[in-house]
Amino acid sequence: MILSSNVITSKGFLGFFQKKSVEVVAGFDEPAIIPEPAFISKQASLSVESKNDEEIKNEMNEMKRLLQEMRQSVSFSNFPDELKPLLTYLENQGLSKELILQVGNEIFGQMKENKKDFSKEEQLQIAMTVLSKEFSELPFGGITFSRKFINVLGPTGVGKTTTIAKIAARALLEHKKKIGFITTDTYRIAAIEQLRTYANLLQAPVEIAYNSNDFEDAIMKMKDLDLIFIDTAGRNYKEMKFVDDLKRLIDFSLDMESFLVLSVTSKEEDMKTIINRFTSFPVEKFIFTKVDETGSIGPMFNLMRQYKIGTAYYTDGQEVPEDIVEADVDKMLKLLLAGAKHA
């Protein structure tokens, strides 16, 4: 299928096109053998030879990126004008194409069936129903209080220590649990001091684990507590070395709940990279932080849908213990759709 064609005079892809040429963008569903036009064959071979491998690789990556953007672009041309503001809003929120089309098709189908247009409120209600059903099978909600160890994983800069303090404070103040902390973040003095400050305010003990023996000793010292919160090191977990270090340090066979903390201000692809690094860990739910610092929270839903992992909490500020919300589907969807009334 020909998508577009242009007469161009600038150098094109891989240096194939010199002077005045025709650029054609086409797509196909099945693998196909595309014959090479005779009039550019000689230019092509000469142009490729003049480039080094790195230049060719960079140009190929750029072309892949542009094609991916084209594939991800959602077309609303088949939907009535009354529906486009909501769909555009969801697109701006970063919600995946598949989920947006599910919402659009359901609303449009009901409009045709009822032979009338729907108000924004009616559209939002249908959107809530469609998306609620999509995530109904995933687990939501905070710590269960049925396991002794609460392990919080995640890369640097996502707010793990502050998030742990919020959860621990609520366990102490609202549920009257005896709590303690173990930190394995021995790479940053500031992180240890930050946790100690929170622990002092909560009158809870803190142990530092530099290695697996320290970790076992800390567990023994805290054996009489109800809950032990483990603050893991914030590292660049795109590198498998740090993932392996974490496996050697913490005994994941313990009676433990593990949560993966991700900042919603991060790029979705970067969050996917982190999640993929932790697939061998017993991650039960996500914790999303910095919701108040972004206007696009659709990636939270994309990640839950792709990895079949629910959400325990999301945070919307720095105040401890106030700025944390125990997640459920309705709360998260209302957060997603909050601005749609004014779209």
Side-chain angles (χ1 to χ4, degrees):
M1 177 181 292
I2 304 300
L3 302 179
S4 67
S5 62
N6 296 293
V7 176
I8 59 173
T9 55
S10 59
K11 181 175 70 174
F13 178 54
L14 295 182
F16 286 0
F17 301 106
Q18 302 286 339
K19 300 180 181 179
K20 182 175 289 188
S21 306
V22 177
E23 177 187 70
V24 178
V25 178
F28 50 89
D29 291 330
E30 299 296 331
I33 299 174
I34 303 176
E36 184 179 28
F39 74 93
I40 65 169
S41 297
K42 187 174 182 181
Q43 288 185 9
S45 60
L46 292 174
S47 298
V48 172
E49 287 175 3
S50 67
K51 293 177 178 289
N52 60 39
D53 290 344
E54 189 63 28
E55 287 176 318
I56 294 173
K57 180 179 179 182
N58 289 339
E59 290 186 355
M60 289 294 291
N61 287 337
E62 178 64 13
M63 180 60 71
K64 288 179 181 178
R65 185 187 69 79
L66 292 173
L67 289 174
Q68 186 174 19
E69 287 181 0
M70 289 172 61
R71 287 197 300 268
Q72 290 175 344
S73 178
V74 181
S75 173
F76 303 142
S77 58
N78 294 328
F79 294 109
D81 291 342
E82 295 80 4
L83 187 50
K84 290 177 183 178
L86 172 59
L87 303 183
T88 301
Y89 171 84
L90 294 176
E91 184 179 39
N92 291 336
Q93 281 288 320
L95 199 67
S96 71
K97 176 176 67 176
E98 291 79 11
L99 288 174
I100 294 174
L101 291 178
Q102 279 187 39
V103 170
N105 288 333
E106 182 62 29
I107 297 175
F108 190 27
Q110 291 194 31
M111 289 171 66
K112 290 192 293 185
E113 183 178 344
N114 290 276
K115 298 181 180 179
K116 69 167 190 173
D117 294 336
F118 286 164
S119 66
K120 280 191 175 181
E121 289 72 18
E122 291 173 316
Q123 292 179 29
L124 288 174
Q125 187 56 53
I126 296 173
M128 281 283 292
T129 301
V130 171
L131 295 174
S132 293
K133 183 177 180 181
E134 182 68 29
F135 297 98
S136 62
E137 300 298 321
L138 298 182
F140 287 86
I143 60 176
T144 62
F145 297 99
S146 64
R147 303 183 200 174
K148 189 180 186 72
F149 299 93
I150 310 299
N151 187 31
V152 181
L153 307 163
T156 184
V158 297
K160 290 193 306 299
T161 303
T162 302
T163 300
I164 283 177
K166 292 175 181 180
I167 301 171
R170 291 194 172 187
L172 173 68
L173 300 174
E174 297 176 8
H175 298 272
K176 311 303 179 187
K177 299 295 184 181
K178 294 185 292 183
I179 65 171
F181 300 93
I182 299 175
T183 179
T184 67
D185 193 353
T186 58
Y187 305 94
R188 297 182 302 139
I189 300 292
I192 296 175
E193 293 307 315
Q194 182 185 19
L195 186 60
R196 277 181 170 154
T197 299
Y198 289 134
N200 289 337
L201 291 172
L202 298 173
Q203 297 183 341
V206 180
E207 294 292 332
I208 303 172
Y210 292 92
N211 52 51
S212 58
N213 291 332
D214 292 339
F215 186 78
E216 292 175 4
D217 291 342
I219 289 174
M220 289 301 299
K221 291 178 182 178
M222 297 184 178
K223 62 182 180 179
D224 295 327
L225 300 181
D226 298 318
L227 293 172
I228 299 174
F229 292 86
I230 304 169
D231 187 12
T232 57
R235 305 302 300 273
N236 177 12
Y237 288 112
K238 291 180 181 179
E239 297 185 31
M240 284 303 298
K241 172 186 180 299
F242 299 127
V243 176
D244 294 336
D245 289 345
L246 191 59
K247 288 180 179 178
R248 286 190 290 267
L249 179 58
I250 295 176
D251 183 0
F252 285 90
S253 67
L254 295 170
D255 186 26
M256 178 182 294
E257 287 183 280
S258 293
F259 303 97
L260 179 59
V261 183
L262 300 166
S263 170
V264 190
T265 59
S266 302
K267 295 178 181 178
E268 184 172 339
E269 288 304 313
D270 290 340
M271 288 191 278
K272 287 180 181 179
T273 300
I274 296 300
I275 296 170
N276 290 335
R277 287 291 185 266
F278 282 92
T279 53
S280 60
F281 290 81
V283 173
E284 299 185 18
K285 298 171 190 171
F286 294 129
I287 297 176
F288 291 105
T289 61
K290 305 184 182 183
V291 169
D292 57 311
E293 297 181 24
T294 181
S296 303
I297 63 171
M300 293 195 299
F301 299 89
N302 301 342
L303 296 175
M304 288 192 292
R305 181 174 182 266
Q306 177 174 344
Y307 292 96
K308 308 300 181 187
I309 298 175
T311 299
Y313 303 94
Y314 59 88
T315 71
D316 53 4
Q318 293 296 313
E319 294 298 319
V320 178
E322 292 85 359
D323 295 334
I324 189 169
V325 179
E326 186 169 343
D328 64 42
V329 176
D330 285 347
K331 287 177 186 175
M332 295 185 73
L333 289 178
K334 287 177 181 176
L335 189 67
L336 173 72
L337 299 171
K341 294 179 182 179
H342 310 291

